[in-house]
């Protein structure tokens, strides 16, 4: 069987390239071609050893190289999987924030605070925050979160300042919004409604995410509630789908 | 306070229009303008009665009209809310299918089966379904789901036929895929990975969803696993974001 037919290639013992290097290169090509997509589970080490006609130790050495490169990852008790090239936060499944999810996945991000000021909220935002329009000011926080790949999300948050007076003085480059609300103000964030849709990037959104205007972007709208039922925060979040995919691991029952 | 300033208007008693009709029309305009957005919780009936300067019974009659029109809905113990104009399935939060979610929300949909045939799976699909490529055929099921508004989702499912032999003869216009797998084949669907991203509609996707090519569409990729860990189904789903928003109601802890 040749590689063209989807099988495993012969390992060549008449070339100076070490066998484990040939195997890791073979797997690298399978991943690069998309034939082994993100989340594909490789066969077990004994099965791979048999198919390649090599020892299990040689297979293990080839896999170790690819794990170190970040192309594969091993999950205890489940096997070896092809790594996703995009960040996959579980923000549709858990009320964690992007920054919390990044931290738990070991993704290093930076935050640029573009605006942190008190404003009169737009009427629909005032309504969802249970504020009489016209007479209350809210914090408007605009941030861009980036990884080493570039910007991944543009976040607009509107926060009730009657519940968090002085919040406009917090350092949002270094601390998260939920962290400040829970840590500095002792607020009990309890629930949120999040809706997800695909939208065309406005010029402003496109600029912030380094996309062409009109590009499809993942839009997330959120209203966050305290334990006593009062809404505390509304947000519009624009996500670069090429760098971040909202992912849920779900159970049937 | 005038309506322009965001307050409630005076009720006119010198016109022939009944007062409850004036109130329902006032609320209808607030909703149409977006000032009271989807999921906005109205003040309580006694509060509204006081603000309008009318009896509670009059307020209740005005709200009943709008509930009957579908613009408002009452949730026991929580209040009266502005209804969303889009369908909001919880498919990022629960392993329910669109058809199950539609049924539980009382949304009437129709299904057009565009293809139901046995094919050789594309290689990445074969990999995710743990099939050796080239020697296995899978069911390819292509469906368009529509509401009275028009098409809401285009679904491509790839199903392992070794786990469900003869499945290509099932009636997918009348029964759901999970229903057939669980009901007719006794398979135990246990888990799924779902990823969500925004993509530009290809000409085919655009045609099926009655959108312009290149329009942003919500893309959902899914792999479904049985209780024993074997993958049974892979799908690509394209969702019309103007008609359906993936929604999660989340708890912080």
């Amino acid at each position: 069987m040749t590689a063209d037919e989807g099988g495993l290639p012969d390992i060549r013992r008449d070339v100076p390239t070490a066998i484990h290097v040939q195997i890791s290169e073979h797997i690298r090509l399978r991943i690069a071609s998309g034939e082994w997509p993100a989340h594909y589970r490789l066969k077990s080490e004994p099965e791979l050893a048999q198919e390649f006609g090599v020892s299990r130790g040689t297979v293990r050495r080839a896999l170790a190289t690819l794990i170190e490169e970040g192309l594969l990852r091993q999950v205890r008790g489940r096997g070896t999987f092809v790594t996703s090239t995009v960040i996959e936060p579980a923000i549709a499944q858990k009320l964690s924030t992007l920054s919390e999810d990044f931290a738990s996945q070991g993704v290093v991000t930076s935050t640029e605070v573009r605006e942190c000021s008190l404003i009169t909220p737009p009427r629909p935002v005032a309504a969802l925050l249970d504020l009489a329009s016209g007479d209350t000011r809210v914090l408007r926080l605009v941030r861009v979160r980036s990884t080493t790949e570039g910007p991944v999300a543009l976040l607009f948050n509107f926060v009730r300042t009657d519940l968090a007076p002085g919040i406009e003085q917090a350092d949002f480059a270094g601390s998260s919004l939920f962290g400040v609300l829970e840590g500095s103000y002792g607020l009990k964030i309890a629930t949120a409604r999040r809706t997800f849709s695909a939208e065309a990037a406005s010029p402003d959104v496109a600029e912030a995410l380094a996309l062409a205007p009109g590009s499809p972007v993942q839009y997330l709208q959120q209203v966050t509630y305290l334990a006593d039922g009062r809404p505390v925060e509304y947000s519009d979040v624009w996500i670069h789908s090429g760098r971040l995919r909202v992912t849920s691991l779900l159970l049937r029952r």
Side-chain angles (χ1 to χ4, degrees), chain A:
Chain A
M1 197 185 273
T2 71
D4 278 348
E5 287 165 345
L8 296 168
D10 290 337
I11 296 301
R12 299 193 55 178
R13 293 167 198 280
D14 59 346
V15 296
T17 310
I19 291 172
H20 74 87
V21 173
Q22 293 184 47
I23 293 175
S24 57
E25 178 59 14
H26 169 77
I27 294 176
R28 206 179 281 114
L29 288 173
R30 285 266 189 266
I31 296 171
S33 70
E35 184 182 337
W36 286 2
H39 307 300
Y40 168 62
R41 184 175 58 199
L42 276 66
K43 293 186 181 176
S44 68
E45 285 174 9
E47 286 172 311
L48 289 172
Q50 196 179 5
E51 293 200 3
F52 283 112
V54 301
S55 74
R56 196 168 156 181
T58 303
V59 166
R60 198 176 299 129
R61 197 161 163 195
L63 297 184
T65 302
L66 298 167
I67 290 166
E68 197 170 309
E69 290 174 8
L71 287 174
L72 298 179
R73 72 192 158 82
Q74 267 167 344
V75 182
R76 191 179 298 269
R78 292 204 55 225
T80 306
F81 295 83
V82 175
T83 309
S84 175
T85 55
V86 299
I87 315 166
E88 299 188 328
I91 54 172
Q93 192 174 15
K94 297 178 199 164
L95 184 41
S96 55
T97 63
L98 278 179
S99 60
E100 289 166 347
D101 213 288
F102 291 159
S104 75
Q105 292 193 34
V107 176
V108 177
T109 59
S110 61
T111 303
E112 176 201 345
V113 178
R114 295 199 161 189
E115 185 184 330
C116 180
S117 60
L118 298 181
I119 62 148
T120 300
R123 278 200 192 178
V125 172
L128 290 173
L129 292 180
D130 262 359
L131 297 170
S133 56
D135 58 350
T136 321
R137 287 159 78 77
V138 300
L139 172 71
R140 184 173 123 119
L141 180 61
V142 183
R143 292 171 295 170
V144 177
R145 285 210 192 273
S146 301
T147 67
T148 51
E149 304 274 304
V152 292
L154 169 65
L155 304 95
F156 294 83
N157 305 93
F158 299 86
V159 185
R160 276 177 60 166
T161 53
D162 58 328
L163 300 175
I167 193 171
E168 68 277 11
Q169 284 149 39
D171 165 30
F172 289 109
S175 42
S176 74
L177 176 57
F178 275 26
V180 169
L181 291 173
E182 293 176 323
S184 305
Y185 290 94
L187 295 173
K188 305 234 176 301
I189 292 173
T191 62
R193 167 190 296 275
R194 287 177 171 166
T195 63
F196 298 85
S197 58
E199 308 283 345
S202 68
D204 285 358
V205 169
E207 179 274 320
L209 296 180
L211 291 166
S215 298
V217 286
Q218 181 73 61
Y219 169 59
L220 156 59
Q221 187 187 57
Q222 168 176 285
V223 185
T224 308
Y225 300 87
L226 299 179
D228 61 13
R230 286 181 296 179
V232 62
E233 181 262 353
Y234 168 93
S235 42
D236 293 309
V237 181
W238 305 91
I239 292 170
H240 189 307
S241 268
R243 297 189 178 131
L244 188 158
R245 294 193 165 199
V246 177
T247 299
S248 299
L249 295 172
L250 300 166
L251 299 180
R252 178 71 169 154
R253 308 258 174 247

